[in-house]
Amino acid sequence: MASHMSYILSKVQMLSTSDHASVVSMNLFVALLCACIVIGHLLEENRWMNESITALVIGVCTGVVILLTSGGRSSRLLVFSEDLFFIYLLPPIIFNAGFQVKKKQFFRNFIIITLFGAIGTLISCSIISLGATQFFKIMDIGSLDIGDYLAIGAIFAATDSVCTLQVLNQDETPLLYSLVFGEGVVNDATSVVLFNAIQSFDLNHINFRIALQFIGNFFYLFISSTMLGVLTGLLSAYIIKKLYFGRHSTDREVALMILMAYLSYILAELFYLSGILTVFFCGIVMSHYTWHNVTESSRVTTRHAFATLSCIAEIFIFLYVGMDALDIEKWRFVSDSPRTSVSVSLILLALVLVGRAAFVFPLSFLSNLAKKNPTDKINFRQQIVIWWAGLMRGAVSMALAYNQFTSSGHTQLRANAIMITSTITVVLFSTVVFGLLTKPLIRFLLPHPKHITTTVILESSSPKSITAPLLECGQDSFDFGSHDILRPNSIRALLTTPTHTVHYYWRKFDDAFMRPMFGGRGFVPFVPGSPTEHSVSQWE
């Protein structure tokens, strides 16, 4: 009996020690997050640095310190988990992207964004997969099957354009910003959908029927995920519009928006769909309908809450990637052949460069052929910026690589260890080196326009204005044109003026059916004593 009690007490002591170690790790990690925010703010005006690189560098430095203090046993405070990334960190980043997106620009360039983000990702994935198959078989890095090679294509086709977006100004270069931003989101979604489709099929015995099923499954995931996000967003708008949560508690109103947004992502994962696409389009719909149904205080709160959660999640990811880059366990597998690991990393970087160029320039050329307005065309300098923006690899590539080549964060095979260490090398090199060069490159290719203010003023009076903010002061973010259709004053103007565009028909449908049911701009909940009380009459 006494021995049994001593055994139980020893177990309890071990658990308490483990819990204390976890608390210490979390304290250090939270302190590092605070340091990243403070240092990133101080370096905001720096020509070279940005928040992503700052977090990455701090993560690497922290990893070195932990590695030295632990005697070379570990470099991490936390153990990597795909669930941590995909379930908790990725949703706020993608949702905020959809919630804050300038939808007029996004849908105005939707076709070219889809070409870059979807078709371009497939082209890049194909080139990377074929190149990896040819080179890695010659190098004999280990046992990789066709599924692994296709997964490598999907992993390294996932871009990270955060560094470029932090440099671009969407008021000065609205077309370029819209293309880089939109392509980045669609690219991540396409890469994840493609990766999931690859994992769900036995590609070792591929034939025409399996190829058709693979393509069909890809489009099913893409369309179903989008529709689920739209439906969840509309449901949130309908509930808040009917129940008037703001009359009772702004806190409940904000809480419902946050939970419905997260619910869309979890539902997608439950039904084996793409949570990235679902939560992105849920964000678009909620900003168009739900956001206009809540009180003014809730609007301010939700915008800042979503942006804050997204910021913390991004810093968390880059900080962890920097620390995990020095994980000694993975490097032990490749310590006997460092030349092979370096060669694999260089080959992957070269394939990323070629795969990116293989679709950016041809698709831009085709897009320019279809556009008559010179201002809508993508010039060569802008094409270089778009190409450069997609060269950086980030957290999505890391998460997919861990999913494919590790088991609970640990590697067991030499080939898998080489792929993990090569992914880490590519992510670090592309983020730091390409990221540091992004700001000087953009300033060289796109010098600051001298007459930007005049241009904005002139364009703002046009119904085709693409510079007006779309999530500001309750403005309608889906207003593609004015209610008043400009009348052509000559036969030539009549022939060149589109009278019935897609935007026009959407606007009529939205005003006639969607807004009366789901709310949107024009619906302001009446809350006695609130700032909106004085503006209710203008909508009646």
Side-chain angles (χ1 to χ4, degrees):
M1 183 69 180
S3 61
H4 183 65
M5 287 298 295
S6 63
Y7 174 77
I8 294 175
L9 289 174
S10 64
K11 284 290 185 183
V12 170
Q13 187 175 4
M14 288 175 62
L15 286 174
S16 62
T17 304
S18 175
D19 291 341
H20 181 70
S22 299
V23 171
V24 172
S25 298
M26 287 304 299
N27 270 278
L28 290 174
F29 209 92
V30 171
L32 288 172
L33 287 174
C34 294
C36 289
I37 293 173
V38 172
I39 297 174
H41 174 73
L42 295 175
L43 297 176
E44 187 175 7
E45 299 301 324
N46 188 278
R47 181 181 178 185
W48 303 93
M49 299 294 286
N50 57 58
E51 286 185 354
S52 304
I53 299 175
T54 303
L56 206 57
V57 171
I58 292 176
V60 172
C61 294
T62 306
V64 171
V65 173
I66 297 173
L67 200 62
L68 293 174
T69 54
S70 65
R73 290 191 303 271
S74 175
S75 67
R76 300 177 298 186
L77 294 173
L78 303 173
V79 178
F80 183 86
S81 169
E82 291 89 352
D83 290 340
L84 173 67
F85 175 76
F86 282 107
I87 302 299
Y88 302 109
L89 298 178
L90 195 58
I93 296 173
I94 303 300
F95 176 81
N96 185 64
F99 193 75
Q100 302 286 355
V101 67
K102 297 219 172 190
K103 286 173 283 295
K104 178 184 286 187
Q105 270 296 331
F106 182 82
F107 286 100
R108 179 187 179 95
N109 302 302
F110 187 74
I111 294 177
I112 186 63
I113 286 173
T114 305
L115 282 175
F116 281 157
I119 306 301
T121 302
L122 293 175
I123 294 173
S124 179
C125 175
S126 302
I127 291 175
I128 294 172
S129 297
L130 290 173
T133 304
Q134 296 299 318
F135 287 109
F136 295 169
K137 283 184 177 179
I138 296 173
M139 297 171 63
D140 191 25
I141 67 171
S143 55
L144 296 176
D145 56 27
I146 186 173
D148 291 324
Y149 287 118
L150 289 174
I152 289 171
I155 289 167
F156 289 96
T159 65
D160 187 355
S161 54
V162 172
C163 293
T164 309
L165 290 174
Q166 289 176 350
V167 178
L168 290 175
N169 188 311
Q170 57 184 330
D171 291 325
E172 295 177 5
T173 55
L175 173 64
L176 188 59
Y177 187 95
S178 172
L179 293 178
V180 172
F181 172 83
E183 188 227 335
V185 176
V186 178
N187 167 275
D188 285 347
T190 305
S191 299
V192 174
V193 169
L194 192 59
F195 183 83
N196 292 337
I198 290 169
Q199 286 194 322
S200 63
F201 282 90
D202 180 13
L203 300 172
N204 291 315
H205 304 89
I206 192 167
N207 53 41
F208 183 71
R209 183 178 62 83
I210 292 178
L212 285 179
Q213 287 181 343
F214 178 82
I215 295 172
N217 187 52
F218 174 80
F219 283 105
Y220 162 75
L221 288 174
F222 211 93
I223 296 171
S224 300
S225 303
T226 301
M227 293 307 300
L228 179 60
V230 171
L231 292 175
T232 309
L234 291 176
L235 179 63
S236 70
Y238 185 80
I239 291 174
I240 288 182
K241 179 177 180 292
K242 290 298 181 183
L243 297 183
Y244 281 79
F245 272 80
R247 283 185 172 180
H248 307 286
S249 171
T250 298
D251 297 337
R252 293 193 189 101
E253 203 169 55
V254 174
L256 186 65
M257 287 186 69
I258 294 174
L259 292 174
M260 288 293 287
Y262 191 65
L263 178 64
S264 69
Y265 188 90
I266 298 301
L267 283 174
E269 295 299 316
L270 177 66
F271 295 119
Y272 302 101
L273 301 176
S274 170
I276 294 179
L277 267 179
T278 299
V279 78
F280 176 70
F281 279 96
C282 178
I284 289 178
V285 173
M286 286 183 72
S287 67
H288 182 55
Y289 295 108
T290 313
W291 188 75
H292 293 279
N293 294 346
V294 300
T295 56
E296 246 177 69
S297 57
S298 296
R299 294 179 190 178
V300 174
T301 303
T302 50
R303 289 183 64 184
H304 289 290
F306 292 139
T308 302
L309 291 173
S310 174
C311 177
I312 294 173
E314 284 185 8
I315 295 173
F316 188 105
I317 290 170
F318 281 102
L319 182 62
Y320 183 85
V321 169
M323 294 170 60
D324 194 61
L326 299 175
D327 182 26
I328 200 68
E329 178 194 342
K330 302 178 182 65
W331 292 102
R332 281 199 187 106
F333 280 91
V334 298
S335 59
D336 59 334
S337 55
R339 183 179 298 178
T340 301
S341 180
V342 172
S343 300
V344 170
S345 301
L346 291 175
I347 289 171
L348 289 171
L349 272 171
L351 291 173
V352 166
L353 293 169
V354 174
R356 184 80 187 159
F359 75 85
V360 169
F361 298 106
L363 292 181
S364 298
F365 175 75
L366 293 176
S367 172
N368 290 341
L369 289 179
K371 293 181 179 179
K372 297 180 180 179
N373 190 344
T375 59
D376 292 335
K377 293 185 177 182
I378 309 170
N379 62 47
F380 185 68
R381 291 192 173 195
Q382 290 175 331
Q383 292 175 33
I384 294 177
V385 173
I386 295 171
W387 171 73
W388 184 270
L391 295 180
M392 283 153 276
R393 297 297 177 265
V396 174
S397 294
M398 286 287 295
L400 296 180
Y402 272 91
N403 191 301
Q404 181 71 19
F405 298 110
T406 69
S407 175
S408 301
H410 299 284
T411 50
Q412 307 295 332
L413 301 173
R414 178 175 176 272
N416 290 356
I418 289 176
M419 289 313 306
I420 291 294
T421 54
S422 298
T423 303
I424 292 171
T425 304
V426 170
V427 168
L428 284 175
F429 183 86
S430 62
T431 302
V432 175
V433 177
F434 294 161
L436 286 174
L437 296 174
T438 296
K439 189 177 289 187
L441 178 71
I442 290 178
R443 287 184 176 179
F444 172 74
L445 293 174
L446 305 172
H448 185 76
K450 297 179 180 179
H451 304 292
I452 185 68
T453 307
T454 307
T455 306
V456 170
I457 293 173
L458 291 175
E459 288 185 354
S460 63
S461 60
S462 168
K464 292 186 179 181
S465 172
I466 55 178
T467 58
L470 296 167
L471 276 175
E472 184 175 321
C473 302
Q475 290 180 353
D476 177 21
S477 50
F478 258 164
D479 285 352
F480 295 108
S482 172
H483 279 290
D484 300 324
I485 306 298
L486 294 179
R487 301 295 179 183
N489 53 12
S490 67
I491 296 179
R492 183 177 182 179
L494 177 64
L495 294 176
T496 57
T497 303
T499 55
H500 295 86
T501 63
V502 175
H503 301 164
Y504 171 78
Y505 285 117
W506 159 254
R507 184 59 185 271
K508 290 190 67 174
F509 174 76
D510 195 30
D511 289 340
F513 299 101
M514 300 298 288
R515 284 179 177 166
M517 180 176 294
F518 300 105
R521 186 174 71 91
F523 177 79
V524 182
F526 180 82
V527 183
S530 75
T532 59
E533 179 182 359
H534 305 292
S535 59
V536 172
S537 59
Q538 66 175 315
W539 304 115
E540 294 177 348

